[in-house]
Amino acid sequence: MSDRTFANLHSMRDNYATYGVENYYTKVAATYRNPHWEGIRTVLSNWMDVWWDREGRQACKEPEHSGFTILDMAAGSGEATETLLWWADRRRRGVGAGRPRGLLATALPAAVDDAAQSPQSVNATQDPRLHISATDPFTEEAYTSRTNLPCHCLSFRDIADGQLPCDFYDMIVCSFALHLVTDNSELFSLLWELSSKARWLVIIAPGKRPEIKDGWGWRLWDCKSWSGEKTSGNAEFTSGKSRARIFRSTNF
C-alpha cells in the first residue's frame, strides 16, 4: 500500500487511533494533504481581511515598515502558507474580498468595510508584504514540494525549548495540530514561549481545543469590538469543520 493510498483510506480520527499521531505523519510525510483545505482557506482569509483593516493597513504606512513576519507552525503541506500567499496577491492586485459573510460582515465599521471593497482604496494601501517561515517535524518534504519554500524540521517541544529561527513574529498560524497536544504542561510551555515571540496566534482546529487558560500568555480576541474582553463567539471564524480562534499575546 503506497503512502498516498494510506493517507486517503481512513478518516483522520481513524488514522490517529490506528497508527498514532507521530507514526501516521511519518508514513505520509512526503504526500500529506489536509482534507480540510477549503475550510482553512476560508477562515484564514476572512481573519486576514479583518486584521488588515483593523491593524495591518495602518502598519504599512509606517516609514520603517518592511513587511509582516508570519510563522506557519506545524505547517503540514502548506495549506495556511498557500492561503496567505493567495490572500496577499489578491490585496496586491487590488482585488477586494467582496461583501463578507458571517462574523466578517459585522467585524468592521461601515466606513472601513466600504473602503475595503473599493479597488481605488485597496490599491492605495501599500503591499501587504508577508515574510512566511514554516515548521513541521514530519512533512517538510510535502510543504516544500507544494510551496517551494523552506520548512524548519522543528517539533512543538523544540519550539518550547526556544529553537524558533526568529525572535519575533507578527503572527503565528497553527492549523489542525495544537488540539493534538493533550499534556497541559507541554501545552503551557509551548504557548508561553510563543507568547514571548508573537503578537497574534491563529488556531485552526475542528473544535474548541486546546483550552488556553488565563496566565498562559494569550487572551481570546473579540474581532468585532477589537478587544480582549470576554466574548460570546466573536473570536471565531468557522467554515465546515474548520474553526479559527484568534488570540493576542499578553506580552506585547
Side-chain angles (χ1 to χ4, degrees), residues 30-66:
T31 59
Y32 174 74
R33 293 294 184 269
N34 193 308
H36 304 294
W37 150 238
E38 290 293 340
I40 292 172
R41 184 171 71 170
T42 297
V43 298
L44 183 54
S45 60
N46 280 355
W47 152 248
M48 291 299 292
D49 281 334
V50 174
W51 166 81
W52 178 250
D53 286 306
R54 289 289 195 171
E55 182 175 283
R57 177 186 283 116
Q58 184 61 37
C60 275
K61 298 177 182 179
E62 300 297 328
E64 69 277 8
H65 181 74
S66 60

Side-chain angles (χ1 to χ4, degrees), residues 83-201:
T83 294
L84 292 167
L85 294 174
W86 171 82
W87 173 86
D89 180 66
R90 285 173 62 85
R91 286 287 177 175
R92 189 177 299 115
R93 292 185 292 109
V95 180
R99 180 63 191 169
R101 294 177 294 175
L103 169 60
L104 186 60
T106 60
L108 304 176
V112 173
D113 187 40
D114 291 342
Q117 297 178 66
S118 164
Q120 181 177 1
S121 173
V122 173
N123 286 331
T125 59
Q126 291 86 36
D127 178 0
R129 286 166 289 174
L130 306 183
H131 306 298
I132 303 172
S133 56
T135 64
D136 197 292
F138 305 110
T139 60
E140 175 184 3
E141 185 177 349
Y143 179 89
T144 300
S145 174
R146 182 172 186 168
T147 67
N148 291 317
L149 296 172
C151 180
H152 299 276
C153 188
L154 296 175
S155 67
F156 287 153
R157 183 167 298 176
D158 295 330
I159 293 171
D161 288 340
Q163 296 184 37
L164 280 176
C166 185
D167 291 332
F168 175 78
Y169 299 90
D170 291 285
M171 188 183 305
I172 294 176
V173 178
C174 188
S175 56
F176 285 82
L178 266 184
H179 67 290
L180 301 175
V181 181
T182 57
D183 184 283
N184 275 349
S185 178
E186 292 182 8
L187 184 61
F188 166 76
S189 296
L190 172 63
L191 290 171
W192 184 258
E193 174 66 16
L194 295 178
S195 74
S196 71
K197 297 288 181 65
R199 178 175 290 112
W200 294 102
L201 174 63

Side-chain angles (χ1 to χ4, degrees), residues 19-39:
Y19 306 106
V21 174
E22 291 191 10
N23 189 42
Y24 170 74
Y25 284 109
T26 298
K27 287 180 178 292
V28 300
T31 59
Y32 174 74
R33 293 294 184 269
N34 193 308
H36 304 294
W37 150 238
E38 290 293 340

